[in-house]
Amino acid sequence: MPASDFALHPRLAADTTFVADWPLARVLLMDDARHPWLILVPRRAGATEIFDLDAADRAVLIEEISRAGEGLKNLTGAAKINVGALGNLVAQLHVHIVARNIGDAAWPGPVWGQGTTEPYAPEVRDRFIGQLVNAL
Amino acid sequence: MPASDFALHPRLAADTTFVADWPLARVLLMDDARHPWLILVPRRAGATEIFDLDAADRAVLIEEISRAGEGLKNLTGAAKINVGALGNLVAQLHVHIVARNIGDAAWPGPVWGQGTTEPYAPEVRDRFIGQLVNAL
């Protein structure tokens, strides 16, 4: 489907702040100060699985996953980057890129569905987004 | 590093059964009958993050992720495919491809770190691997 039909799922819109539009994906910051956490949403209406994208889009997606992960690691000094495309609750295809550290709020388990979200203070969030725009 | 230096992490070897070697990744079946669950391990020594692979390998990886996910969905009729590269416990780069269904043992949460593994009966496992080899 054409990119022009793309609309961000309301749940993703409510939980995140815009960072950038890359060639394929919208880059969002998850509003949870427990973990530096990006979400990439390919701007392709109707896609719910990676294999719903065509091969050209998949080739871009893996490069954007790599770019987001490496940038987030460099910026935060994370011990490990977690990448996940689950979609059990929000079907719209989206890829989580999460900076993890030993002893963080969910370590060594996954971040999804764990504990209670801790929204950023707006000025902290906006400063972090400025750093992300430079680092990614 | 050359592919010849690749060795499967002992924990991954202990938890899985061999399915196939694809151009980049070794394909393994997680020995947990609760979820149809594949693991792709790129045969590249020392890689722990997707961005540790070079761009050519990444392009192959996303195609193998897509192939595994689509094949697993077609074979099992899963409602959703979950894809994850975490590595908090086993650093060697590996990608989980998990068939999920509403009401399964972890639904709608992630499968990682949930409950207790239920090993397959050997004949059930071997029959499923035969089906996977045909379907993927």
Side-chain angles (χ1 to χ4, degrees):
Chain A
M1 272 171 268
S4 57
D5 289 340
F6 170 77
L8 188 63
H9 189 287
R11 173 73 181 270
L12 291 175
D15 292 347
T16 66
T17 304
F18 178 86
V19 176
D21 267 338
W22 286 353
L24 178 65
R26 180 154 299 170
V27 184
L28 304 166
L29 175 67
M30 187 73 161
D31 190 21
D32 189 340
R34 296 175 301 167
H35 307 284
W37 182 340
L38 301 172
I39 297 180
L40 304 184
V41 187
R43 295 191 304 281
R44 293 293 181 265
T48 65
E49 301 281 3
I50 289 170
F51 53 83
D52 291 336
L53 300 177
D54 64 27
D57 280 348
R58 287 197 294 267
V60 177
L61 179 61
I62 193 70
E63 289 308 298
E64 295 186 352
I65 289 170
S66 183
R67 174 183 174 185
E70 188 162 23
L72 194 59
K73 182 177 167 76
N74 289 342
L75 178 61
T76 66
K80 190 73 192 67
I81 298 297
N82 288 179
V83 176
L86 287 82
N88 302 338
L89 294 170
V90 174
Q92 181 177 54
L93 180 60
H94 61 288
V95 182
H96 302 266
I97 314 282
V98 191
R100 304 299 309 274
N101 283 292
I102 297 168
D104 72 26
W107 188 265
V111 296
W112 304 286
Q114 297 301 307
T116 304
T117 298
E118 297 179 9
Y120 285 100
E123 66 276 14
V124 174
R125 182 195 63 208
D126 293 347
R127 190 168 59 237
F128 188 41
I129 289 174
Q131 294 174 323
L132 286 165
V133 167
N134 287 327
L136 295 179
Chain B
M1 272 170 270
S4 57
D5 289 341
F6 170 77
L8 188 62
H9 189 287
R11 172 72 181 270
L12 292 174
D15 291 348
T16 67
T17 304
F18 178 86
V19 177
D21 267 337
W22 285 354
L24 178 64
R26 180 153 299 170
V27 184
L28 304 166
L29 175 66
M30 187 74 162
D31 190 21
D32 189 339
R34 296 174 301 167
H35 307 284
W37 183 339
L38 301 172
I39 297 181
L40 305 184
V41 187
R43 295 191 303 282
R44 293 293 180 265
T48 65
E49 301 281 2
I50 289 170
F51 53 83
D52 291 336
L53 300 177
D54 64 25
D57 280 347
R58 287 197 295 268
V60 177
L61 179 62
I62 194 71
E63 289 308 298
E64 294 187 352
I65 289 170
S66 183
R67 174 183 173 186
E70 188 162 22
L72 195 59
K73 182 177 167 77
N74 289 341
L75 179 59
T76 66
K80 190 72 191 67
I81 298 296
N82 287 179
V83 176
L86 288 81
N88 302 338
L89 294 170
V90 174
Q92 182 176 54
L93 179 60
H94 61 287
V95 182
H96 302 267
I97 314 282
V98 190
R100 303 300 308 274
N101 284 291
I102 296 168
D104 72 25
W107 188 265
V111 296
W112 304 286
Q114 296 301 307
T116 304
T117 298
E118 297 179 9
Y120 285 101
E123 66 276 14
V124 174
R125 182 196 62 207
D126 293 347
R127 190 168 60 237
F128 188 41
I129 289 174
Q131 295 174 324
L132 286 164
V133 168
N134 287 326
L136 295 178

